[in-house]
Amino acid sequence: MVLHGCKRRFETVMVSEERGGNLIGDHQFINTEESASTLFSPLLELPVHIICDILSRLPLMNILRCKCVCKMFLKLVKDPYFSKIHLARAPTLTTNLVLQENIGKWGALHFFTFDLSESTLSSCSSADQDTPSYLNRGLPMLSKLNADFSFRTQRISLVGSCNGLLCLYFDLSSRPLYGVCNPIVGECIKLPQLTLSGRHCTYANHSGFGYCPRMKKYKIISFMHLTSVDSLNSIDSKRLVADVHTLGSDSWRRIENPPCPKRTSFDPFLNGCLHWITNSNRPAELITSFDLEKEKFKVVPPPAHFNVQYMNKVSWINIGVLRGCLCICYIYEDAEFEVWVMREYGVKESWSKEFSIDMKFYCKLRVEDLHRPIKFFSNGDLWFISSSESLVSFSPQKRTFRELRSMGPWKTEVTAHALSFASLKDVVGAKSLQVKNLRLGGRRFILGI
């Protein structure tokens, strides 16, 4: 059911704020003195939890329109219960991507929604030309002009997405700065600045953002290089530190000598832990995890065949999540792209090969094409950005590539994102004064951190 532009006035509406409870938990009913012949009277006479269930199944833009129908729908969408069931019932036929763009001192994030059941997509075949190009493929182009919505701010790096919240790193010249926002509800929060202890610091280009289910808290971890200068002996010493922040608190906690991440994982969060590939030359220390509850680093055992000789032939490797299991994908001898899955978390013997791609078998496929994965989907499909700046999907079942969209001539970073109506005020506490509203102009928000 889609509700378009209907205006309703309620004489009697009881809401959670008046009773100090939850809209859904109280199983309240909507009372109205409007005539029964009014268009949506039968719907509005349903129990609130049923109405909430119906609204949660609608596409994003229709839910946003429903907020304008009446005050009751507005209250429902703002209720924490609604955000939980909406996130849990995210549509299986659509996905959302965030494109990160930095031009000069300004940055922007553009949001797009995709239909996973698209059929009018091109696939790779041996008859195709040797050189791919978004210009001759006739692909629809992703740009800020056709984004569902966008917001701009200072130059930024997208740390990660978790439960509909985005963690951002602001590339300022003075001190590193982090922020968390939910553009759907138009809220943002600035995190406390890191304590640098008077040393020269350099951002290590690695951060993590995740949710601890037991503590019901969001946490951010930042890796920094601290440099100490001995002017007498002209010696500079550099060491890596990690700082952890719990969203809603007012401080960071320091962890000394953490394992150094080699690159940012494209899908690092699983089982309450963040995961990275490290820069260690020892196979046993290849994969590391960070437990958000205990705030401890732990080694995750790699597949049994990962010895020193084998790793020397691996030119690229990254880590992600496939069907709820930890997985690694890597390129071996610049000829084979392999994906291995850890069926039982933490058990070395449970690693098994999910699929592989023979680089020589597919036309136009180059090693660098697979260096920018975005996400594995529940059907096993892998989305990535090719070297020709196209959004591409690979199906292990059909053994085919599909070009979905052109990224245009400008290079951006792309992150999968789940849209959510969760309010930061519920995350950090209703009395918190840290939460700010995003300024809106047209379809574009302005984030004033």
Side-chain angles (χ1 to χ4, degrees):
M1 178 180 292
V2 181
L3 309 179
H4 290 290
C6 299
K7 296 183 179 179
R8 296 276 293 159
R9 181 175 61 86
F10 294 91
E11 300 297 333
T12 304
V13 177
M14 297 181 65
V15 296
S16 59
E17 285 85 355
E18 296 175 353
R19 296 183 55 179
N22 184 287
L23 274 170
I24 311 304
D26 294 333
H27 295 282
Q28 302 165 55
F29 290 78
I30 302 175
N31 299 317
T32 177
E33 298 179 1
E34 299 286 347
S35 171
S37 62
T38 306
L39 182 60
F40 294 112
S41 287
L43 174 64
L44 297 175
E45 290 174 357
L46 293 173
V48 173
H49 69 286
I50 294 181
I51 299 177
C52 195
D53 182 83
I54 294 173
L55 294 179
S56 68
R57 300 174 187 270
L58 298 177
L60 170 66
M61 298 309 297
N62 290 332
I63 295 177
L64 295 178
R65 292 188 184 104
C66 287
K67 291 174 62 177
C68 304
V69 171
C70 63
K71 291 183 179 179
M72 189 61 201
F73 282 177
L74 179 62
K75 293 289 185 181
L76 279 173
V77 174
K78 287 185 175 181
D79 193 275
Y81 176 83
F82 177 82
S83 66
K84 291 180 181 178
I85 65 170
H86 175 267
L87 185 64
R89 192 178 287 130
T92 57
L93 296 179
T94 61
T95 189
N96 301 279
L97 297 183
V98 183
L99 272 66
Q100 173 187 321
E101 178 185 18
N102 284 312
I103 301 177
K105 67 176 182 179
W106 287 101
L109 298 178
H110 309 295
F111 295 76
F112 300 85
T113 301
F114 291 88
D115 184 357
L116 297 179
S117 62
E118 288 182 347
S119 58
T120 57
L121 301 172
S122 57
S123 11
C124 178
S125 68
S126 58
D128 290 333
Q129 298 178 5
D130 293 334
T131 304
S133 170
Y134 67 89
L135 293 176
N136 59 31
R137 300 297 293 182
L139 296 174
M141 184 181 297
L142 294 183
S143 71
K144 59 184 178 182
L145 298 179
N146 57 21
D148 293 334
F149 62 91
S150 306
F151 73 85
R152 67 183 183 88
T153 179
Q154 297 96 335
R155 189 173 180 87
I156 56 175
S157 296
L158 181 55
V159 173
S161 167
C162 184
N163 296 340
L165 303 183
L166 293 174
C167 182
L168 310 172
Y169 173 79
F170 293 83
D171 188 11
L172 304 177
S173 57
S174 54
R175 282 191 171 189
L177 184 62
Y178 288 86
V180 174
C181 74
N182 186 345
I184 296 298
V185 299
E187 295 176 347
C188 64
I189 181 173
K190 180 175 70 174
L191 274 58
Q193 286 190 326
L194 288 164
T195 302
L196 303 178
S197 305
R199 298 182 178 90
H200 176 69
C201 71
T202 305
Y203 179 52
N205 294 323
H206 298 291
S207 299
F209 177 56
Y211 178 72
C212 179
R214 291 188 179 181
M215 300 176 63
K216 296 183 178 181
K217 296 288 187 181
Y218 290 87
K219 293 188 178 183
I220 300 95
I221 181 169
S222 173
F223 293 89
M224 305 288 292
H225 289 293
L226 298 185
T227 303
S228 300
V229 179
D230 186 349
S231 56
L232 295 179
N233 299 317
S234 299
I235 299 176
D236 295 347
S237 60
K238 180 182 291 187
R239 62 188 179 92
L240 184 69
V241 298
D243 293 282
V244 183
H245 174 78
T246 301
L247 194 60
S249 66
D250 57 359
S251 62
W252 293 76
R253 297 171 296 283
R254 173 66 50 85
I255 300 177
E256 298 286 348
N257 301 318
C260 183
K262 186 175 184 178
R263 60 171 51 91
T264 300
S265 305
F266 65 95
D267 193 4
F269 182 68
L270 179 68
N271 294 339
C273 298
L274 295 168
H275 300 82
W276 294 276
I277 297 296
T278 69
N279 62 357
S280 175
N281 294 323
R282 301 179 58 185
E285 300 174 353
L286 175 66
I287 306 172
T288 188
S289 67
F290 180 72
D291 190 313
L292 293 174
E293 179 184 6
K294 300 177 182 179
E295 297 187 358
K296 299 289 186 181
F297 289 95
K298 184 179 179 180
V299 172
V300 179
H305 64 281
F306 264 67
N307 53 38
V308 175
Q309 292 76 17
Y310 191 89
M311 286 183 58
N312 288 336
K313 299 179 181 180
V314 173
S315 60
W316 173 91
I317 187 170
N318 209 321
I319 197 164
V321 177
L322 174 57
R323 297 193 186 99
C325 296
L326 191 69
C327 71
I328 57 172
C329 47
Y330 60 91
I331 296 176
Y332 182 70
E333 292 188 329
D334 288 341
E336 195 86 8
F337 178 88
E338 296 192 2
V339 175
W340 286 68
V341 174
M342 182 179 255
R343 304 293 180 185
E344 186 176 350
Y345 185 77
V347 179
K348 184 182 184 68
E349 294 74 19
S350 67
W351 284 103
S352 63
K353 182 190 288 191
E354 183 71 13
F355 67 87
S356 62
I357 302 174
D358 186 349
M359 310 290 287
K360 299 178 181 179
F361 180 78
Y362 293 92
C363 60
K364 303 186 308 183
L365 186 62
R366 295 180 290 182
V367 172
E368 55 269 25
D369 280 334
L370 296 169
H371 282 190
R372 297 164 65 186
I374 298 174
K375 181 180 176 65
F376 282 105
F377 290 90
S378 58
N379 62 355
D381 287 6
L382 170 64
W383 282 23
F384 61 92
I385 304 298
S386 71
S387 59
S388 60
E389 301 302 322
S390 295
L391 175 63
V392 181
S393 172
F394 173 76
S395 172
Q397 296 179 345
K398 300 178 181 179
R399 309 299 299 178
T400 57
F401 290 86
R402 301 185 301 171
E403 291 185 271
L404 307 179
R405 295 290 189 274
S406 166
M407 305 299 296
W410 40 280
K411 186 175 181 179
T412 61
E413 297 298 327
V414 182
T415 303
H417 176 60
L419 300 179
S420 168
F421 289 88
S423 172
L424 284 172
K425 295 178 182 178
D426 296 325
V427 174
V428 302
K431 296 182 180 180
S432 175
L433 301 177
Q434 299 172 302
V435 177
K436 301 179 181 179
N437 292 325
L438 298 173
R439 290 182 289 154
L440 176 62
R443 291 180 306 155
R444 290 175 172 79
F445 297 93
I446 300 176
L447 178 57
I449 292 287

